[in-house]
């Protein structure tokens, strides 16, 4: 009897607990990814010190940038997280740094250095600082390069001699090879994984525009893409060609699809220079088709221009245009992959927050309180 009473008491207690649990309000569980979406992260200001800062190169992700600093006679490369200010040194070279760039897939970094006169060293590393490709002696007075939008391991590089003669090379990072290719013009970009773009300038006369040609690097075959172009740039999903139907403008920014169809056009006035036209700084936000570009608010000559510049957002899919800033100094700009921020300034030392038009200073001035 006693044992039966004990069992009955235990059963009653268990049923009471279950009943109380059922009466409790149900809590909504939020996954970590949902929490990240609801938490609005903010960029930390003044995370870079001016005494060692050289320049910011660009975005490695939506929150990370590549920064160059001078330290104890060396040039160091850091990855900085803009949300928490943390940083990691990934590579260093002797103090012969010239320039650097980030590949379109954000996984590789090209470093151009010049240990001796009239010679360049080209090094390509990954985000961890591992050397993927290196050419230690490229004879050159000047050097330019262009990453491929169609092959993550391909880029074009042009080496100029002092007399401005040139040689164009094709670099295959994965295979570790750099081969010369036969192209008539020095400033080239990839048009596909087997063809390149260039303006076919007439050397016998002075001109501000030229036909835009595509050349197959395998068989040398050529095709005219645009009959007259002042400036061009190949993006992931479209080709930008700038031209004018009249000698003095206005100028049309024309976006052309891979099939040759005109996707969108925007018309502006460009500022004249001594022998050409000023193309204001711009950047394309890949995947969205948004071109962020400066636009002069008045016509005129760049050398004597005292007017202002607007920062515009052009939607190359819908054709819509928006004014982000109506008065902003003309300085280089480079936007994050998600299109929320743009590095801005002559050393890309500021960040424009496109969602609220704020400008954040990344550089801490000398003498400022720690």
């Amino acid at each position: 009897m006693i044992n039966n009473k004990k069992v009955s008491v235990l059963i009653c207690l268990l049923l009471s607990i279950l009943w109380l649990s059922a009466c409790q309000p149900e809590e909504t569980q939020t996954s970590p990814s949902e929490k990240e979406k609801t938490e609005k992260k903010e960029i930390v200001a003044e995370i870079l010190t001016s005494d060692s800062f050289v320049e910011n190169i660009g975005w490695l992700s939506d929150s990370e940038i590549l920064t160059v600093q001078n330290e104890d006679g060396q040039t160091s490369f850091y990855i900085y997280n803009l949300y928490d200010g943390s940083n990691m040194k990934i590579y260093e070279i002797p103090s012969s740094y010239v320039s650097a760039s980030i590949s379109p897939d954000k996984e590789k970094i090209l470093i151009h250095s010049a240990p001796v006169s009239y010679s360049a060293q080209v090094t390509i590393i990954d985000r961890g600082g591992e050397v993927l490709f290196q050419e230690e002696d490229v004879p050159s007075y000047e050097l330019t390069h262009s990453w491929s939008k169609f092959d993550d391991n391909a880029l074009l590089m042009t080496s100029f001699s002092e007399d401005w003669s040139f040689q164009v090379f094709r670099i295959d990072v994965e295979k570790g090879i750099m081969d010369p290719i036969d192209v008539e013009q020095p400033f080239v970009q990839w048009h596909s994984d087997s063809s390149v773009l260039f303006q076919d300038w007439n050397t016998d006369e002075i001109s501000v525009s030229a036909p835009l040609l595509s050349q197959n690097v395998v068989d040398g075959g050529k095709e005219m893409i645009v009959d007259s172009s002042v400036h061009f740039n190949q993006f992931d999903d479209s080709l930008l060609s700038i031209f004018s139907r009249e000698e003095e403008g206005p100028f049309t920014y024309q976006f052309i699809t891979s099939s040759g169809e005109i996707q969108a056009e925007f018309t502006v006035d460009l500022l004249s220079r001594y022998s050409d036209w000023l193309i204001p700084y711009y950047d394309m936000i890949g995947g969205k088709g948004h071109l962020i570009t400066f636009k002069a608010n008045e016509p005129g000559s760049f050398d004597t221009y005292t007017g202002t510049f607007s920062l515009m957002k052009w939607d190359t899919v819908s054709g819509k245009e928006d004014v982000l800033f109506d008065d902003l100094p003309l300085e280089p700009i480079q936007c994050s992959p998600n299109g929320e921020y743009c590095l801005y300034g002559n050393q890309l030392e500021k960040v424009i927050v496109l969602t609220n038009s704020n400008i954040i200073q990344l550089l801490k001035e000398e003498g400022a309180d720690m």
Side-chain angles (χ1 to χ4, degrees):
M1 289 292 294
I2 293 173
N3 287 338
N4 289 338
K5 284 183 179 181
K6 286 182 179 180
V7 171
S8 299
V9 170
L10 286 172
I11 291 172
C12 288
L13 284 172
L14 287 171
L15 290 172
S16 298
I17 292 170
L18 290 171
W19 180 80
L20 286 171
S21 298
C23 292
Q24 293 298 318
E26 193 174 310
E27 292 186 6
T28 302
Q29 298 295 321
T30 305
S31 67
S33 60
E34 289 175 339
K35 286 181 179 179
E36 288 175 5
K37 290 178 183 178
T38 56
E39 291 175 4
K40 184 61 178 176
K41 295 183 178 180
E42 295 185 354
I43 289 178
V44 180
E46 298 185 345
I47 60 174
L48 304 171
T49 56
S50 60
D51 57 346
S52 61
F53 177 75
V54 177
E55 63 178 341
N56 289 323
I57 301 304
W59 298 90
L60 288 168
S61 70
D62 291 328
S63 60
E64 297 170 306
I65 62 171
L66 180 67
T67 296
V68 183
Q69 299 182 12
N70 280 333
E71 298 175 327
D72 302 324
Q74 303 284 314
T75 300
S76 300
F77 297 83
Y78 283 83
I79 296 177
Y80 269 81
N81 187 305
L82 297 186
Y83 288 148
D84 59 22
S86 62
N87 63 83
M88 178 177 65
K89 182 177 179 178
I90 61 169
Y91 198 68
E92 68 178 17
I93 61 172
S95 57
S96 55
Y97 170 74
V98 177
S99 64
S101 71
I102 299 170
S103 63
D105 66 359
K106 311 299 183 187
E107 296 296 330
K108 305 174 198 65
I109 300 159
L110 182 145
I111 301 169
H112 171 199
S113 56
V116 297
S117 299
Y118 303 107
S119 179
Q121 177 171 300
V122 177
T123 305
I124 299 176
I125 61 174
D126 64 15
R127 289 171 51 105
E130 180 182 350
V131 175
L132 305 175
F133 173 90
Q134 189 168 68
E135 191 71 29
E136 295 185 351
D137 184 15
V138 181
S140 66
Y141 181 72
E142 292 286 345
L143 202 67
T144 66
H145 69 274
S146 175
W147 291 95
S148 173
K149 305 293 194 304
F150 309 96
D151 183 346
D152 294 336
N153 287 294
L155 63 154
L156 297 166
M157 187 176 70
T158 303
S159 170
F160 291 92
S161 300
E162 193 172 4
D163 63 359
W164 296 113
S165 59
F166 66 91
Q167 177 63 60
V168 179
F169 297 92
R170 173 175 51 183
I171 295 177
D172 187 315
V173 179
E174 188 174 31
K175 295 179 180 178
I177 57 175
M178 184 176 80
D179 293 327
I181 60 174
D182 186 18
V183 184
E184 296 174 4
Q185 299 291 336
F187 300 106
V188 291
Q189 296 181 30
W190 289 102
H191 188 216
S192 70
D193 56 4
S194 60
S195 61
V196 298
L197 285 167
F198 60 88
Q199 289 168 285
D200 190 21
W201 296 99
N202 186 343
T203 56
D204 295 330
E205 60 182 45
I206 297 175
S207 177
V208 297
S209 65
L212 182 61
L213 303 185
S214 175
Q215 177 180 323
N216 189 297
V217 295
V218 178
D219 60 22
K222 298 176 185 176
E223 175 190 4
M224 182 181 291
I225 305 300
V226 177
D227 59 7
S228 180
S229 181
V230 173
H231 171 87
F232 73 97
N233 200 345
Q234 178 68 58
F235 301 121
D236 291 339
D237 302 317
S238 64
L239 167 65
L240 166 64
S241 175
I242 301 176
F243 68 92
S244 175
R245 294 182 175 91
E246 303 292 336
E247 186 175 342
E248 296 299 320
F251 290 82
T252 299
Y253 284 57
Q254 187 176 79
F255 296 86
I256 306 168
T257 67
S258 58
S259 60
E261 297 178 356
I262 298 174
Q263 179 173 290
E265 291 184 341
F266 300 89
T267 301
V268 299
D269 288 313
L270 295 180
L271 299 179
S272 63
R273 295 193 293 194
Y274 175 72
S275 60
D276 62 1
W277 297 89
L278 173 73
I279 308 299
Y281 298 113
Y282 65 82
D283 194 26
M284 174 66 82
I285 299 174
K288 294 190 175 183
H290 293 169
L291 190 84
I292 308 298
T293 182
F294 283 94
K295 183 179 79 170
N297 291 328
E298 304 168 27
S301 170
F302 178 67
D303 294 334
T304 58
Y305 187 69
T306 57
T308 58
F309 290 87
S310 293
L311 186 65
M312 310 292 297
K313 180 173 76 172
W314 292 343
D315 188 326
T316 65
V317 177
S318 68
K320 182 182 177 182
E321 56 181 308
D322 296 309
V323 179
L324 302 176
F325 289 84
D326 56 16
D327 184 0
L328 198 64
L330 179 65
E331 296 177 1
I333 192 166
Q334 192 181 127
C335 300
S336 61
N338 63 7
E340 293 186 8
Y341 310 108
C342 292
L343 289 171
Y344 167 62
N346 291 318
Q347 299 164 290
L348 298 179
E349 74 281 4
K350 296 166 279 193
V351 174
I352 298 175
V353 184
L354 295 180
T355 53
N356 59 21
S357 299
N358 284 343
I359 298 179
I360 300 170
Q361 297 284 343
L362 295 179
L363 198 59
K364 188 177 182 66
E365 296 298 330
E366 290 186 46
D369 295 334
M370 297 298 289

